[in-house]
């Protein structure tokens, strides 16, 4: 069973930056992409960004385009989420998750993902 472990969360002021990491315990060769989701208190989990392992194809939610960058290091089985120009509304628990779905348009759907990390808290103060 592959495990995903997120790290890099914390408290930052508005306008600041953070880099999240999602490390897979081993390479799942049936995995197509890793995605990031977030969930704020009282809100539903929402898609943030995703990246495919082989081609590096990316997909972003409109709310983070131009501010967040997703990348991967295949040698380390790790996906990163560089977050810049952070806003208080970015405050949430951030989760990474695995999908075997090759169709990018379906990466925004949480049920497309079959296993998840436990999350890392990001808090942006105003």
């Amino acid at each position: 069973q592959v495990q995903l472990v997120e790290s890099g969360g914390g408290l930052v002021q508005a306008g600041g930056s953070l880099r999240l990491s999602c490390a897979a315990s081993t390479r799942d060769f049936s995995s197509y992409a890793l995605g990031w989701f977030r969930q704020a208190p009282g809100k539903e989990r929402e898609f943030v960004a995703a990246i495919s392992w082989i081609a590096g194809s990316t997909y972003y939610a409109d709310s983070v385009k131009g501010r967040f960058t997703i990348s991967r290091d295949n040698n380390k089985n790790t996906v990163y989420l560089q977050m810049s120009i952070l806003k208080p509304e970015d405050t949430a628990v951030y989760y990474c998750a695995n999908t075997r779905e090759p169709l990018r348009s379906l990466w925004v759907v949480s049920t497309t993902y079959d296993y998840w990390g436990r999350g890392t808290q990001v808090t942006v103060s105003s």
Side-chain angles (χ1 to χ4, degrees), residues 42-114:
K43 294 188 177 181
E44 293 188 354
R45 191 169 296 189
E46 66 171 351
F47 172 78
V48 176
I51 187 168
S52 65
W53 282 111
I54 302 301
S57 299
T58 59
Y59 201 76
Y60 293 92
D62 288 343
S63 59
V64 306
K65 279 181 184 176
R67 300 190 299 123
F68 291 10
T69 302
I70 191 169
S71 61
R72 89 272 192 236
D73 184 334
N74 288 8
N75 291 329
K76 296 182 178 180
N77 299 330
T78 300
V79 170
Y80 304 97
L81 185 68
Q82 178 67 47
M83 306 185 296
S84 303
I85 318 175
L86 282 162
K87 305 175 181 179
E89 51 263 44
D90 294 317
T91 296
V93 177
Y94 283 70
Y95 301 89
C96 66
N98 174 79
T99 181
R100 307 176 201 282
E101 175 58 57
L103 195 59
R104 283 202 313 168
S105 60
L106 292 181
W107 291 353
V108 303
V109 181
S110 62
T111 53
T112 299
Y113 296 78
D114 53 8

